[in-house]
Amino acid sequence: MKSRFFKLFYKIHIYAGFFVAIHLFVFITTGAVLLFKDEIEGGESHAEHHEAIQLPALDAHLQKILARYPTDRPLAFNIEESDPDVAQIRMGLNGSKMFRESRRVYFNIHTGEEVAAPQKTSSLMDFILRLHRELLMGSNGKIYVGFVGLLYAFVLISGFFIYGNFAKKTQFGEVRQNTSRMFNSDLHRFLGMSIFAWGLMIALTGLLLGVSSTLIKVFQYSELQKLTAQYPEAPEPPYASLDLVLAEAQKALPGTSFDYLAFPNSQFSPPGHFLVLMHGNTAWTERLVELVVVDAVTGKLTEVRSLPWYLKAAMLSEPLHFGNYGGLFLKIVWLILSVISLFLPISGLYIWWDRRSKKGAASTATAAKSSLTIGKGRLFKRPYLMPTIIALTSVTAVVGSFLTTGLVNTLLALFLALPAYFVLRLVVRWLRKGSV
């Protein structure tokens, strides 16, 4: 493995890791705050949002709003996530089909009275979210963050292959204390392999979230082109009632809840048809939506379209990235793994700096070998066997806790805590034995 290719691969790992490390300090600290957003703001846990929302009759309220703004065109309708009693209608000014500079009208879904826009998250929490999501650089910042996620994935994967070359003389979880450089190198590799699967998931979901807006725009353009070509005719109003359209969408996809409706012949809908987005009511499906196409005049179902795989992956990335789908215990495990992952760039930077400052200097270590270990046995002596078991266990725990609730969810989260247990075990032994 001491080939020219390996040395180049190793150097790329180091410098890519150096670049990623600068950003991880921001992402991990802000992500830890966002992880407990509901608890900090006193809101309802995201894991409790799975029940279906029953909508009252809405058409009469819509007609009143249209009469109040007779020159505007209805573009879209949705229920506010922060307040399920409040709905929003986007109105194109002076009959415009465009969403940009459109009017937003909020009303109570029970009384039909116009209300003020629901209060968003606190200014501090909004700042932290924008810092984490886009580094305060807007839409371009999201793409940049996605690029950092891609590099982080490369650093983890390259580290996985590099690990085997350096772990031939040590067992998994063994941290030698002969010198500070040896101690930090072994610790860096141990931490990296312990959280490899979890860290890779965070990196890839971060990448998908970074490019999600671009993926949505691509889908909107391509799908709208197909729908417009398929349904070119634009019948004149009056259109079917809003209640009839929503009922037809619910009938087409039982067991789902309303998410979003685009009125016919707007910037994001074809002529002569409503587009209704419906989402599931479970932890797994609430982020996934299906597209229901309803005839604008008859209010009858035309077809149901599934979103492409890349959009489904992007939609599932948010809960998987933030770990807010399995209750408080899973959030605590997520926080512990985040803290552990924070030591990866710290130890990596130390190794890089130590090698630069002592380059060419001969080692003066004469002490007998002294090591910390987390366990003994055949499993720990094989370089890749134990890390692979931990990785598979972590993946099983993440997917399993995403699909279940209650006690089963908590038990599965315990499997995800396995890397944290090993790290804690090593720390306890280090404290008992004494530091380098």
Side-chain angles (χ1 to χ4, degrees):
M1 288 290 288
K2 291 293 184 180
S3 63
R4 183 178 301 176
F5 174 76
F6 176 80
K7 291 180 179 179
L8 177 63
F9 191 62
Y10 184 61
K11 280 188 177 181
I12 296 175
H13 171 82
I14 291 174
Y15 290 109
F18 181 78
F19 176 80
V20 170
I22 300 172
H23 300 81
L24 279 184
F25 291 108
V26 176
F27 295 148
I28 292 174
T29 52
T30 54
V33 176
L34 294 172
L35 181 61
F36 295 95
K37 174 179 176 291
D38 294 324
E39 286 75 12
I40 294 173
E41 295 186 331
E44 186 182 14
S45 173
H46 185 80
E48 300 170 357
H49 287 176
H50 307 320
E51 67 277 1
I53 298 176
Q54 299 297 325
L55 295 177
L58 296 166
D59 198 60
H61 304 329
L62 172 63
Q63 296 305 320
K64 289 181 181 178
I65 293 174
L66 294 179
R68 198 172 300 138
Y69 305 100
T71 62
D72 293 352
R73 172 197 291 268
L75 301 177
F77 166 80
N78 67 276
I79 304 297
E80 289 296 295
E81 185 177 356
S82 59
D83 189 346
D85 291 328
V86 175
Q88 177 193 160
I89 290 185
R90 295 283 290 269
M91 307 282 286
L93 299 178
N94 299 317
S96 172
K97 299 180 181 181
M98 308 304 292
F99 277 66
R100 180 170 291 184
E101 298 181 357
S102 60
R103 189 195 309 274
R104 298 174 185 263
V105 180
Y106 299 89
F107 68 94
N108 186 288
I109 62 174
H110 303 290
T111 66
E113 295 181 359
E114 284 194 41
V115 297
Q119 186 176 1
K120 303 295 182 181
T121 56
S122 66
S123 56
L124 176 60
M125 197 62 67
D126 180 66
F127 172 81
I128 294 175
L129 176 61
R130 289 189 295 111
L131 180 61
H132 182 89
R133 183 179 59 193
E134 59 202 36
L135 293 176
L136 308 180
M137 296 189 293
S139 58
N140 292 332
K142 290 186 68 176
I143 297 176
Y144 178 79
V145 169
F147 172 71
V148 175
L150 179 63
L151 278 184
Y152 185 32
F154 168 79
V155 170
L156 289 169
I157 294 172
S158 59
F160 183 83
F161 289 104
I162 291 171
Y163 168 81
N165 191 66
F166 287 94
K168 292 178 180 179
K169 296 181 181 180
T170 60
Q171 64 184 25
F172 176 74
E174 180 182 358
V175 179
R176 296 166 294 179
Q177 298 188 97
N178 296 47
T179 64
S180 60
R181 180 189 298 182
M182 190 177 292
F183 175 81
N184 280 281
S185 296
D186 287 351
L187 180 63
H188 180 79
R189 290 190 288 272
F190 167 63
L191 294 179
M193 296 302 290
S194 296
I195 66 162
F196 170 75
W198 179 85
L200 187 60
M201 180 195 66
I202 296 299
L204 293 178
T205 52
L207 166 63
L208 286 171
L209 288 174
V211 299
S212 61
S213 297
T214 303
L215 293 178
I216 290 173
K217 290 178 181 178
V218 170
F219 171 75
Q220 284 177 331
Y221 177 78
S222 61
E223 194 69 9
L224 187 58
Q225 290 286 93
K226 295 177 184 177
L227 287 170
T228 302
Q230 187 174 346
Y231 309 113
E233 297 182 2
E236 294 295 326
Y239 293 143
S241 72
L242 181 62
D243 297 328
L244 178 60
V245 173
L246 294 177
E248 190 71 9
Q250 188 71 65
K251 181 181 176 182
L253 295 172
T256 63
S257 294
F258 167 72
D259 188 273
Y260 182 86
L261 177 144
F263 285 88
N265 202 25
S266 70
Q267 182 183 3
F268 299 122
S269 62
H273 289 81
F274 289 90
L275 297 185
V276 186
L277 297 182
M278 306 290 289
H279 65 77
N281 298 319
T282 67
W284 175 254
T285 62
E286 71 168 350
R287 291 284 176 181
L288 297 176
V289 299
E290 300 288 338
L291 184 62
V292 182
V293 184
V294 179
D295 188 278
V297 176
T298 65
K300 297 300 181 181
L301 174 69
T302 300
E303 63 174 307
V304 175
R305 289 179 175 240
S306 295
L307 297 185
W309 67 268
Y310 60 85
L311 268 190
K312 290 182 178 180
M315 290 176 176
L316 290 175
S317 291
E318 183 175 344
L320 287 173
H321 187 79
F322 288 104
N324 58 0
Y325 58 87
L328 182 60
F329 182 77
L330 186 65
K331 289 184 178 183
I332 293 174
V333 173
W334 224 260
L335 177 63
I336 294 172
L337 294 175
S338 298
V339 173
I340 293 174
S341 65
L342 188 60
F343 281 94
L344 269 179
I346 293 175
S347 59
L349 288 173
Y350 178 86
I351 295 167
W352 175 81
W353 178 257
D354 188 58
R355 283 176 176 166
R356 283 182 61 87
S357 60
K358 297 179 181 180
K359 189 173 183 180
S363 174
T364 59
T366 57
K369 181 179 180 180
S370 175
S371 301
L372 299 168
T373 58
I374 61 169
K376 297 180 180 180
R378 189 173 298 176
L379 288 177
F380 293 93
K381 290 180 181 179
R382 299 183 179 182
Y384 279 117
L385 187 55
M386 197 62 193
T388 301
I389 292 175
I390 294 177
L392 292 175
T393 303
S394 298
V395 171
T396 302
V398 169
V399 175
S401 57
F402 199 56
L403 294 172
T404 58
T405 57
L407 179 61
V408 177
N409 187 291
T410 302
L411 291 175
L412 284 168
L414 286 172
F415 286 103
L416 189 60
L418 186 62
Y421 165 74
F422 281 147
V423 173
L424 180 62
R425 186 172 175 177
L426 186 72
V427 171
V428 170
R429 292 194 176 189
W430 180 59
L431 293 174
R432 286 177 178 177
K433 196 171 183 179
S435 59
V436 177

